[in-house]
Amino acid sequence: MEDDFEAGTVKKFMFVNRKPPYGTVYALEVLEMVLISAAFDQDVHIAFLDDGIYQIKKGQDTKDLGMKNFSPTYRALEGYDIEKLFVERECLEERGLSEDDLLVPVEVISRAEMGKLMAEMDVVLTA
Amino acid sequence: MSTLHTVNKSPFERSNLQACLGHAQNGDSVLLIEDAVFAAIAGNTFAPKLADAAQDIKLFVLGPDLKARGMDPAKVVDGVNIIDYEGFVDLAAASSTIHSWL
Amino acid sequence: MAYEVNGKSIEADEEGFLVNINDWNEELAGLVAKDEGVDMTPEHWEVVNFLREYYAEYQIAPAVRVLTKAIAKKMGPDKGNNKYLYELFPYGPGKQACKIAGLPKPTGCV
């Protein structure tokens, strides 16, 4: 794999978010990893499924918790040329949410389609 | 005296809330905090279980945790009361035992 | 380390980045710039203010590439290029301008 990077091969990367924000540090850590990955000019995909969907829920306000609200940073991804964001439809439905509840433009796909997309990737990182 | 049960895990990821509701006694209080607050929003697949539990158990959800996660207080399931940190303290003081389902 | 402004001590990390972004003010920015050997002109302030607006909107300090592109979009290609920005901030618009603007070190910047 290192040789490929040296040769400038572009790989398909997918970061899979399955955890909600704030309760644990996973969501923020993945977001930082995504931002850093942008420097390597790879083909980056981000998937939100299960509770990961809550990361991009509109209207987050953490003032009372004394924690940083990092949800606006997902809107910066476009400026980093990371525009392939996918959300699993079944997961939205299970949580009583719809695409309008999300703070960034995403492509909503089915669980079956998500599985296929994952299979097309060279590297998948899930947290 | 009654027990205050606190749950801080999402019902979609862990079975903590399910287990808590299955063991809480009539008259006990269950408080949803941190990632457990997602259970309290109407329209999710776990909500009917909360509505059932509300018949015998007093259900609460911590407002600041809802707000942090962008969850609309107006969409909280009927029978679940929103409380703040002070309410949490009052609830703890009024209970003989506290059981944290971590 | 810490900066002293008007008899008030403002906390910073060992590299001089502010611990709390809300401690920032223009006077402090001038002091940080002096430490960095940067003589603040209206052009410097333009970039520093842009960074503060970017942070307010997205809650991160942008990578240099992203900053350059965003400045080009807002102020035109004459300013949105590496040469212009490095002339203003010789040690890097990411690191140096962010420090003056009171922002954290850009993510992924070592």
Side-chain angles (χ1 to χ4, degrees):
Chain A
M1 206 162 90
E2 274 175 32
D3 290 343
D4 288 346
F5 277 120
E6 280 164 23
T9 306
V10 173
K11 284 181 177 282
K12 285 174 180 284
F13 274 76
M14 181 183 262
F15 295 93
V16 182
N17 289 292
R18 293 189 58 249
K19 298 227 194 299
Y22 314 119
T24 60
V25 79
Y26 291 95
L28 180 57
E29 294 279 325
V30 170
L31 181 57
E32 291 198 341
M33 204 157 40
V34 167
L35 290 170
I36 292 165
S37 79
F40 297 96
D41 289 323
Q42 300 295 303
D43 184 14
V44 175
H45 303 67
I46 309 180
F48 297 92
L49 49 109
D50 300 334
D51 283 349
I53 285 169
Y54 292 125
Q55 291 177 23
I56 49 172
K57 171 74 177 64
K58 275 181 192 163
Q60 297 175 38
D61 178 358
T62 57
K63 271 198 294 289
D64 296 344
L65 260 56
M67 290 176 85
K68 179 170 165 168
N69 173 8
F70 54 89
S71 67
T73 306
Y74 294 99
R75 290 191 290 102
L77 292 175
E78 194 190 351
Y80 283 74
D81 297 321
I82 296 171
E83 293 168 299
K84 295 177 181 171
L85 275 55
F86 300 89
V87 164
E88 197 169 294
R89 180 175 298 115
E90 287 86 339
C91 302
L92 278 176
E93 287 165 0
E94 283 158 18
R95 288 161 185 75
L97 298 175
S98 73
E99 200 175 340
D100 291 340
D101 289 312
L102 307 178
L103 53 80
V104 276
V106 297
E107 195 178 328
V108 178
I109 59 175
S110 70
R111 187 161 289 161
E113 287 167 321
M114 186 68 88
K116 266 188 209 153
L117 193 61
M118 285 172 173
E120 289 169 14
M121 297 292 135
D122 296 305
V123 183
V124 181
L125 279 155
T126 297
Chain B
M1 278 277 275
S2 63
T3 296
L4 168 62
H5 303 263
T6 64
V7 180
N8 74 340
K9 301 290 190 297
S10 162
F12 306 111
E13 196 182 343
R14 306 278 191 89
S15 57
N16 302 40
L17 180 54
Q18 175 92 47
C20 168
L21 295 178
H23 293 86
Q25 301 294 298
N26 284 5
D28 279 358
S29 298
V30 173
L31 171 62
L32 309 175
I33 61 172
E34 300 170 24
D35 291 343
V37 303
F38 298 123
I41 299 299
N44 83 72
T45 51
F46 198 90
K49 289 180 188 170
L50 269 193
D52 276 354
Q55 317 263 336
D56 311 310
I57 300 164
K58 284 173 276 182
L59 296 175
F60 301 89
V61 61
L62 195 60
D65 281 333
L66 278 178
K67 192 174 157 193
R69 289 161 180 78
M71 298 293 121
D72 185 355
K75 287 188 181 161
V76 164
V77 175
D78 284 343
V80 178
N81 302 295
I82 303 173
I83 60 169
D84 57 12
Y85 291 115
E86 273 180 40
F88 188 169
V89 173
D90 292 343
L91 208 51
S95 307
S96 54
T97 318
I98 298 183
H99 186 164
S100 299
W101 294 76
L102 293 179
Chain C
M1 65 169 287
Y3 296 104
E4 300 293 332
V5 182
N6 292 332
K8 208 184 149 208
S9 180
I10 293 170
E11 207 187 338
D13 68 12
E14 67 274 14
E15 290 180 84
F17 289 88
L18 292 195
V19 171
N20 182 355
I21 186 169
N22 298 320
D23 285 341
W24 188 89
N25 57 52
E26 291 198 357
E27 212 171 346
L28 174 71
L31 186 72
V32 179
K34 213 172 145 196
D35 278 1
E36 290 284 317
V38 172
D39 198 6
M40 292 297 280
T41 65
E43 286 74 28
H44 289 91
W45 281 112
E46 193 176 40
V47 175
V48 165
N49 289 331
F50 182 88
L51 275 168
R52 290 193 60 83
E53 283 165 25
Y54 185 96
Y55 189 88
E57 185 163 357
Y58 300 118
Q59 298 296 305
I60 46 164
V64 179
R65 179 174 63 87
V66 177
L67 172 70
T68 311
K69 207 172 71 176
I71 286 186
K73 201 173 160 189
K74 196 181 170 192
M75 306 175 197
D78 289 353
K79 292 182 175 177
N81 66 73
N82 275 335
K83 186 171 175 290
Y84 176 81
L85 292 170
Y86 274 91
E87 270 170 12
L88 290 176
F89 302 100
Y91 288 95
K95 210 170 166 181
Q96 212 167 27
C98 283
K99 197 187 285 188
I100 296 168
L103 269 50
K105 197 156 80 167
T107 303
C109 176
V110 266

